[in-house]
Amino acid sequence: MNEKIKKTIDEIKSGRFPQVQDWKALFLYSGPEESRYLTEQAVAARKEYFGNKVFLRGLIEFTNYCKNNCYYCGIRRDHREIRRYRLTPEQILECCEKGYELGLRTFVLQGGEDPYWDDSRLVPLVASIREKFPDCAITLSVGERSRESYENLYDAGADRYLLRHEAADLDLYESLHPEEMMLSDRTDCLFDLKSIGFQTGCGFMVGAPGQTIPHIVEDLKFIGQFCPHMVGIGPFLPAAGTPFEDQPGGSPKLTLKLLSVIRLMKPDILLPATTALSSATEDGRLLGIKAGANVIMPNITPESVRSLYCLYDRKPSAGVECAEGIEELKEQLAGIGYEAVAERGDHPFFTEE
């Protein structure tokens, strides 16, 4: 084993932040032995807080309208060739009922930044879910909103909020987004969410066009300083009809290393094995769990619109990624030594007595 790379891994585990050149060596030059050591340390760190539990969340992709024009996204505002949809409140509640019957106790409402879903519509919806499912967690992932809106949603019963920071480096962030979108607005939202009381999640794409190892180091530094309760990462995957449609996808191998690194940095974090990882490589979800992730989000969106939430090409809309495959997913996890659980699975900070 390369002792310098092993030292870097031990440094991360002990809470220190390595130099850029050490990160480069870890990400670019570690061989099977070093990678195995990294994974073993990450799994041990996760086990300390969560045992072998993998938390299942019911994902509801309730609108693919978006006012933003991010260069990488398949539901960007200027993409004229996709069919748009919005679920009704009644349909969303039906999704929750279906998820509840499957044993799920967390619902994740994800959508584009759709102006239709202002507070006059989204706040009553959250309140209805909270009233009907008082024992469940409600996670929102609907982008940048005002602090007042976040407070209203929190007061209505939302517990968690996922908002990827996308890129901590200003130049990279600006290269991925139109000029009206600002990194400072994104980070302000994240700090607002956390200060209000949300269990807050950030994250980034691995292998985004123009991204370098120093950019990734900046993302890790941001995660270390922000101390989120959740982190969502996955490989960049190109989407047809976007400015980046011809760009190569991000590396699943590097994504798995980063899952292990983030687990070592923040051992008590909620860390999903994402659909993007599953789309990028065979058995990506299981590999993500083996690397240190502890959350999977089966899709409980109605089958009639599931394929329309096309953030990237080849996004799966059937099988173990979805509600119909939950039992098979549980069997697959059991086969690699993990227990799929549908409990709320809060961040340990929120479960202390």
Side-chain angles (χ1 to χ4, degrees), residues 179-222:
E179 63 181 11
E180 66 266 19
M181 296 185 68
M182 300 176 64
L183 176 57
S184 59
D185 290 341
R186 183 62 57 103
T187 54
D188 284 349
C189 285
L190 282 166
F191 282 100
D192 281 345
L193 287 160
K194 197 175 178 188
S195 67
I196 288 166
F198 278 99
Q199 297 177 53
T200 307
C202 62
F204 60 95
M205 294 180 294
V206 180
Q211 185 188 67
T212 63
I213 296 300
H215 289 141
I216 292 174
V217 173
E218 287 301 307
D219 288 316
L220 295 174
K221 190 178 295 183
F222 176 78

Side-chain angles (χ1 to χ4, degrees), residues 301-319:
T301 308
E303 291 182 72
S304 59
V305 297
R306 207 178 279 165
S307 64
L308 300 178
Y309 199 78
C310 46
L311 301 180
Y312 45 81
D313 295 347
R314 305 190 321 276
K315 180 172 176 281
S317 57

Side-chain angles (χ1 to χ4, degrees), residues 10 49 54 65 68 166 175 187 195 232 249 296 329 341:
D10 292 338
Y49 283 89
V54 175
Y65 283 86
N68 293 332
E166 300 296 0
S175 75
T187 54
S195 67
I296 292 179
L329 173 62
V341 296

Side-chain angles (χ1 to χ4, degrees), residues 114-329:
D114 183 355
Y116 175 86
W117 284 101
D118 59 13
D119 280 11
S120 70
R121 293 185 173 93
L122 191 55
V123 169
L125 172 64
V126 169
S128 296
I129 297 172
R130 170 56 59 226
E131 181 179 8
K132 192 161 188 179
F133 305 98
D135 57 332
C136 294
I138 302 171
T139 302
L140 300 176
S141 181
V142 289
E144 297 176 14
R145 301 171 78 95
S146 68
R147 182 183 177 94
E148 180 184 8
S149 176
Y150 290 146
E151 289 173 342
N152 291 339
L153 292 166
Y154 185 78
D155 291 342
D159 306 275
R160 305 170 181 156
Y161 205 103
L162 304 175
L163 181 64
R164 286 187 173 186
H165 66 276
E166 300 296 0
D169 178 86
L170 178 60
D171 290 338
L172 180 60
Y173 185 90
E174 291 180 346
S175 75
L176 300 173
H177 302 88
E179 63 181 11
E180 66 266 19
M181 296 185 68
M182 300 176 64
L183 176 57
S184 59
D185 290 341
R186 183 62 57 103
T187 54
D188 284 349
C189 285
L190 282 166
F191 282 100
D192 281 345
L193 287 160
K194 197 175 178 188
S195 67
I196 288 166
F198 278 99
Q199 297 177 53
T200 307
C202 62
F204 60 95
M205 294 180 294
V206 180
Q211 185 188 67
T212 63
I213 296 300
H215 289 141
I216 292 174
V217 173
E218 287 301 307
D219 288 316
L220 295 174
K221 190 178 295 183
F222 176 78
I223 290 169
Q225 294 168 346
F226 180 61
C227 294
H229 308 102
M230 302 170 279
V231 172
I233 67 167
F236 162 75
L237 295 171
T242 68
F244 293 157
E245 63 180 351
D246 295 325
Q247 294 293 317
S251 164
K253 184 177 179 180
L254 180 54
T255 303
L256 292 169
K257 284 185 181 180
L258 281 162
L259 285 172
S260 295
V261 162
I262 293 168
R263 173 60 65 199
L264 277 184
M265 288 177 59
K266 302 291 180 185
D268 60 354
I269 211 161
L270 295 165
L271 189 60
T274 61
T275 305
L277 181 57
S278 184
S279 302
T281 187
E282 187 176 0
D283 294 330
R285 284 276 180 90
L286 299 182
L287 293 173
I289 297 301
K290 289 180 178 180
N294 64 339
V295 174
I296 292 179
M297 299 185 187
N299 197 324
I300 57 173
T301 308
E303 291 182 72
S304 59
V305 297
R306 207 178 279 165
S307 64
L308 300 178
Y309 199 78
C310 46
L311 301 180
Y312 45 81
D313 295 347
R314 305 190 321 276
K315 180 172 176 281
S317 57
V320 293
E321 305 296 330
C322 305
E324 300 77 29
I326 282 182
E327 291 307 314
E328 183 181 353
L329 173 62

